[in-house]
Amino acid sequence: MNELQGKVALVTGAASGIGRAIASAYAQAGARVVVADIAAEGAAEAAAAIGHGALGIAMDVTDEAQVDDGFARTRRELGPVDILVSNAGVQIISPLVDLPFADWKRMLAIHMDGAFLTSRAAMRQMVESGRGGSVILMGSAHSHVASKFKAPYVAAKHGLLGLARVIAKEGAPDGIRSNVICPGFVRTPLVEKQIPEQARELGISEDDVIRNVMLRDTVDGEFTTLEDIADAALFLAGFRSNALTGQSLVVTHGWHMQ
Ligand code: NAD
């Protein structure tokens, strides 16, 4: 399985969870991978564990200089980027009426500014190299549906659909595709943290949060897995033409059906 042989892929938020699983799958498929994360030690550790020459770099996706420097280093050390997975993300659980403005702005900065800054840097390299590429934004089921207590997350994840569609239109002449992956609940640190938080906000048990909030509308009561999302990311990265661009791929055990 060397379908990404010769490609350079940069994955943000790749020290943990979904990003790490995608970076690992890409490396196994032959790509030279950059593990970019605000957690510098975590990025270095993940890159070492992934192997295949993966490069760990410290990058806060909300910081323009750090993003541009990280992409410049990638080009110097591995070559121009062919695949971006803009995946870094956090979650804040709070009723909208109690949400501090600073938390709203921080969420939009990580999810939206981060997607913009990394997409811009990746597209510049894809245009310059003449090879085009694939820009994958990590959305969520919450790109399509809403849940209580997640106002900035739901707003930002919906916003990524619009950004991907613009990238698809502007990138097409240069062979740049853009799509959004929309996972259901995957048991990463981001989700483990919110199970007790949601139980508190809703006044129910943690088991009820899992069964009656997170997985209630799936077809089979199952969590989505890291492997499911890595498979989707491999499929989108390897897809060869503009036939599949500007889309969102919903991987949620049927929680949301388009
Ligand atoms: P995670 O907490 O395991 O990993 C997130 C990573 O992002 C961490 O390594 C963290 O250090 C990094 N990060 C946070 N802020 C950053 C910043 N400013 N710059 C660079 N890196 C930063 O979470 P995860 O569940 O793997 O989430 C990854 C993405 O998947 C997020 O965008 C999340 O919204 C999305 N997602 C997750 C789920 C789920 O159920 N886990 C479902 C849908 C979408």
Side-chain angles (χ1 to χ4, degrees):
M1 294 289 278
N2 279 334
E3 68 252 50
L4 299 184
Q5 196 68 44
K7 304 285 187 195
V8 174
L10 187 147
V11 185
T12 70
S16 173
I18 290 173
R20 183 169 173 153
I22 292 172
S24 179
Y26 282 179
Q28 281 166 41
R32 286 163 293 166
V33 171
V34 178
V35 174
D37 205 289
I38 194 169
E41 278 180 25
E45 186 268 316
I50 288 167
H52 299 273
L55 175 67
I57 63 174
M59 180 191 289
D60 177 350
V61 297
T62 69
D63 183 308
E64 184 176 18
Q66 285 191 36
V67 170
D68 289 345
D69 288 352
F71 275 81
R73 183 171 164 207
T74 300
R75 181 171 41 200
R76 269 196 318 274
E77 299 195 20
L78 302 182
V81 166
D82 300 291
I83 301 156
L84 163 69
V85 184
S86 171
N87 163 81
V90 298
Q91 179 62 280
I92 296 175
I93 303 292
S94 169
L96 188 147
V97 291
D98 298 330
L99 185 72
F101 189 29
D103 285 356
W104 168 269
K105 285 198 273 200
R106 181 168 151 259
M107 285 292 284
L108 291 199
I110 295 170
H111 291 273
M112 294 297 297
D113 298 2
F116 161 68
L117 289 171
T118 54
S119 296
R120 187 181 67 176
M123 288 175 77
R124 285 174 175 168
Q125 292 192 6
M126 290 168 181
V127 170
E128 197 186 323
S129 72
R131 303 203 303 233
S134 181
V135 173
I136 298 170
L137 307 181
M138 193 53 64
S140 164
H142 287 109
S143 298
H144 296 280
V145 303
S147 295
K148 289 177 178 174
F149 313 137
K150 296 186 176 177
Y153 188 84
V154 170
K157 293 299 192 189
H158 274 66
L160 293 179
L161 299 177
L163 179 63
R165 290 169 185 153
V166 174
I167 294 170
K169 291 199 171 197
E170 292 190 15
D174 293 294
I176 299 169
R177 303 178 303 286
S178 181
N179 294 287
V180 183
I181 299 177
C182 298
F185 283 101
V186 183
R187 292 200 86 153
T188 65
L190 180 142
V191 162
E192 296 297 346
K193 179 171 165 288
Q194 64 177 281
I195 294 171
E197 290 173 353
Q198 292 231 41
R200 242 188 338 269
E201 289 293 349
L202 294 164
I204 59 178
S205 72
E206 294 189 15
D207 266 3
D208 280 341
V209 170
I210 292 172
R211 259 201 307 275
N212 298 326
V213 178
M214 293 183 162
L215 304 180
R216 188 193 58 205
D217 293 326
T218 62
V219 294
D220 52 11
E222 297 278 343
F223 277 98
T224 301
T225 65
L226 293 174
E227 293 72 26
D228 293 327
I229 304 306
D231 283 351
L234 263 177
F235 170 70
L236 288 176
F239 201 84
R240 288 166 207 279
S241 80
N242 283 342
L244 183 53
T245 194
Q247 305 302 312
S248 68
L249 186 55
V250 180
V251 189
T252 64
H253 283 257
W255 167 12
H256 175 73
M257 299 187 189
Q258 312 197 75

